[in-house]
Amino acid sequence: EPEVTQTPSHQVTQMGQEVILRCVPISNHLYFYWYRQILGQKVEFLVSFYNNEISEKSEIFDDQFSVERPDGSNFTLKIRSTKLEDSAMYFCAGARDTEAFFGQGTRLTVV
Amino acid sequence: QKEVEQDPGPLSVPEGAIVSLNCTYSNSAFQYFMWYRQYSRKGPELLMYTYSSGNKEDGRFTAQVDKSSKYISLFIRDSQPSDSATYLCAAAYNTNAGKSTFGDGTTLTVKP
């Protein structure tokens, strides 16, 4: 069964460094999303991506965040200058219509 | 006020019990309502979604939405230890589940 895959599963980075989180959505998905979940807190929407552009973003998704789908398969989230409070699980999701399929997440630890 | 509020739990039940998980929401523009199951340190897994008011059944799981009271429920019949997980309710404005707004989650433990 196809699934959304995310790499790496765990990333440790120093504060101020740039990180790129990668996702390979299911091939027939049209809509792509990034969510984050700080430990012990709710899943929060970051950004949605459709037709090679951002369709919606939350107030969390500020100028330090960016997304790309550079080659038609990978979908990336870049955090330019990480802060301690960026430590969280980051989930990629894809959807063709109503059903959104989530990846297993990347646990980002900023030290 | 949170847009989606979920009974916090945790909830512990014996195997075979009927489980009721509940959420309320504040934004009447929400049209799609989802239930996800999340195991520890894993991604949310979609269990069911419902459009507008009504019931939807899938095996041991039944989702109910009452838009008049802005109330969302998930019932699990004949609960099993494998049902132990955190259950997340979510709501969205449009069909692609775009900007889903999640509740905080309810952790369920089903004891053998």
Side-chain angles (χ1 to χ4, degrees):
Chain A
E1 184 176 318
E3 60 181 23
V4 176
T5 57
Q6 289 186 243
T7 56
S9 57
H10 187 197
Q11 171 119 27
V12 181
T13 189
Q14 289 200 326
M15 193 169 53
Q17 295 298 302
E18 175 183 285
V19 294
I20 298 176
L21 310 182
R22 292 184 166 83
C23 170
V24 180
I26 298 171
S27 60
N28 65 351
H29 283 174
L30 302 175
Y31 305 91
F32 310 99
Y33 313 91
W34 284 101
Y35 289 81
R36 81 171 184 191
Q37 186 175 30
I38 295 171
L39 185 64
Q41 297 188 23
K42 65 166 58 180
V43 175
E44 299 176 290
F45 170 80
L46 292 177
V47 65
S48 59
F49 194 82
Y50 172 71
N51 204 25
N52 288 320
E53 60 183 25
I54 290 173
S55 52
E56 192 167 358
K57 59 184 180 179
S58 72
E59 60 276 9
I60 302 169
F61 193 88
D62 60 22
D63 291 345
Q64 70 161 342
F65 291 92
S66 62
V67 289
E68 274 192 331
R69 194 156 184 252
D71 56 9
S73 59
N74 293 293
F75 181 48
T76 62
L77 174 70
K78 182 192 290 187
I79 309 175
R80 263 179 275 280
S81 178
T82 50
K83 303 190 285 279
L84 294 176
E85 54 264 38
D86 293 328
S87 295
M89 285 289 287
Y90 288 82
F91 295 109
C92 168
R96 184 166 180 81
D97 42 51
T98 307
E99 298 185 52
F101 293 86
F102 282 74
Q104 295 300 297
T106 292
R107 180 151 56 105
L108 177 65
T109 303
V110 182
V111 296
Chain B
Q1 182 185 15
K2 293 180 182 178
E3 283 196 287
V4 178
E5 295 215 44
Q6 188 164 358
D7 287 353
L11 194 57
S12 181
V13 301
E15 182 174 356
I18 296 174
V19 176
S20 172
L21 303 167
N22 304 295
C23 290
T24 58
Y25 64 94
S26 59
N27 192 332
S28 57
F30 287 137
Q31 295 289 333
Y32 288 85
F33 305 93
M34 285 72 69
W35 283 96
Y36 290 86
R37 178 172 60 196
Q38 185 177 29
Y39 294 109
S40 181
R41 300 191 182 276
K42 300 291 186 183
E45 172 195 6
L46 179 67
L47 285 175
M48 303 180 70
Y49 73 90
T50 310
Y51 171 70
S52 194
S53 283
N55 294 359
K56 190 170 185 178
E57 188 173 321
D58 184 2
R60 297 185 293 110
F61 298 86
T62 300
Q64 284 187 355
V65 176
D66 181 347
K67 291 198 75 181
S68 64
S69 59
K70 298 189 177 69
Y71 203 79
I72 314 164
S73 299
L74 178 72
F75 298 96
I76 307 173
R77 290 183 298 282
D78 187 25
S79 55
Q80 303 294 309
S82 58
D83 295 328
S84 298
T86 297
Y87 289 80
L88 312 172
C89 63
Y93 301 113
N94 53 34
T95 58
N96 65 24
K99 180 191 168 186
S100 289
T101 301
F102 282 80
D104 288 335
T106 301
T107 299
L108 170 69
T109 302
V110 181
K111 296 182 177 178

